[in-house]
């Protein structure tokens, strides 16, 4: 007989499982979480919609250039020429406030990620420009590395 996973505690567990599976896709525990997700019957109603699925793109409220001007790269990179980009996956609410984030690109040993993450508390996205926006949405944003 299959266990019945229906009460407020299992609903809370489903939300946490879904949040983990959307934010920590590179975590070593991901395969176990994916299996658990199937076992507890995580329905689509618990899934956070993505920018891609809604045809949206997050835009920095003050503008990308303004945000990038706040990023202070590590002193060890002072005389180095850098180019490229860094990507993060964000969960934001309908007003564009960040609820959580995770590095989506590969981590470097240069301290670039820490430089960006140090100013994420100053990062605000524009409110979602759709009719009946979801309570929260998961989107990937690519930041150019400008030094």
């Amino acid at each position: 007989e299959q266990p019945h996973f229906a009460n407020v505690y299992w609903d809370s567990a489903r939300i946490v499982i879904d949040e983990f599976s959307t934010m920590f896709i590179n975590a070593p525990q991901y395969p176990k979480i994916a299996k658990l997700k199937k076992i507890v019957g995580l329905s689509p109603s618990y899934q956070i919609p993505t920018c891609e699925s809604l045809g949206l793109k997050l835009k920095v409220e003050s503008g990308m250039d303004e945000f990038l001007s706040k990023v202070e790269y590590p002193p060890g990179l002072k005389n180095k020429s850098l180019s490229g980009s860094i990507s993060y996956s964000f969960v934001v609410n309908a007003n564009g406030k960040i609820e959580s984030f995770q590095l989506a690109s590969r981590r470097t040993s240069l301290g670039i990620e820490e430089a960006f993450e140090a100013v994420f508390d100053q990062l605000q996205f524009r409110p979602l420009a759709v009719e009946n926006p979801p309570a929260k949405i998961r989107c990937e944003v690519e930041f150019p590395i400008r030094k």
Side-chain angles (χ1 to χ4, degrees):
E1 184 177 332
Q2 285 282 15
H4 186 62
F5 300 108
N7 63 36
V8 69
Y9 301 111
W10 283 108
D11 290 343
S12 296
R14 284 182 188 89
I15 291 168
V16 171
I17 290 167
D18 186 54
E19 186 75 17
F20 184 95
S21 68
T22 58
M23 293 304 302
F24 302 106
I25 57 175
N26 296 324
Q29 300 88 351
Y30 187 82
K32 291 179 182 178
I33 294 295
K35 186 175 181 179
L36 186 58
K37 195 173 177 177
K38 289 179 184 176
I39 291 170
V40 300
L42 190 59
S43 69
S45 65
Y46 287 98
Q47 303 222 0
I48 299 172
T50 63
C51 277
E52 185 177 286
S53 69
L54 296 177
L56 296 174
K57 185 173 181 179
L58 289 180
K59 295 180 181 167
V60 177
E61 182 70 49
S62 61
M64 183 64 82
D65 290 334
E66 175 67 26
F67 171 72
L68 292 174
S69 71
K70 297 175 184 177
V71 177
E72 293 185 29
Y73 293 97
L77 299 178
K78 185 177 182 179
N79 296 323
K80 304 222 186 232
S81 176
L82 295 175
S83 64
S85 63
I86 186 169
S87 296
Y88 279 86
S89 176
F90 291 95
V91 173
V92 300
N93 66 23
N95 294 322
K97 184 175 186 224
I98 298 171
E99 294 193 1
S100 62
F101 64 86
Q102 180 186 2
L103 180 66
S105 53
R106 290 187 170 241
R107 183 165 291 282
T108 69
S109 60
L110 302 173
I112 295 170
E113 297 82 2
E114 291 81 2
F116 274 85
E117 292 169 14
V119 292
F120 279 169
D121 62 335
Q122 300 172 46
L123 179 59
Q124 172 74 32
F125 294 103
R126 292 183 185 159
L128 301 179
V130 293
E131 191 174 317
N132 299 319
K136 53 184 168 176
I137 190 167
R138 182 173 41 91
C139 304
E140 193 166 307
V141 178
E142 187 174 330
F143 298 96
I145 296 172
R146 295 185 185 153
K147 187 178 156 327

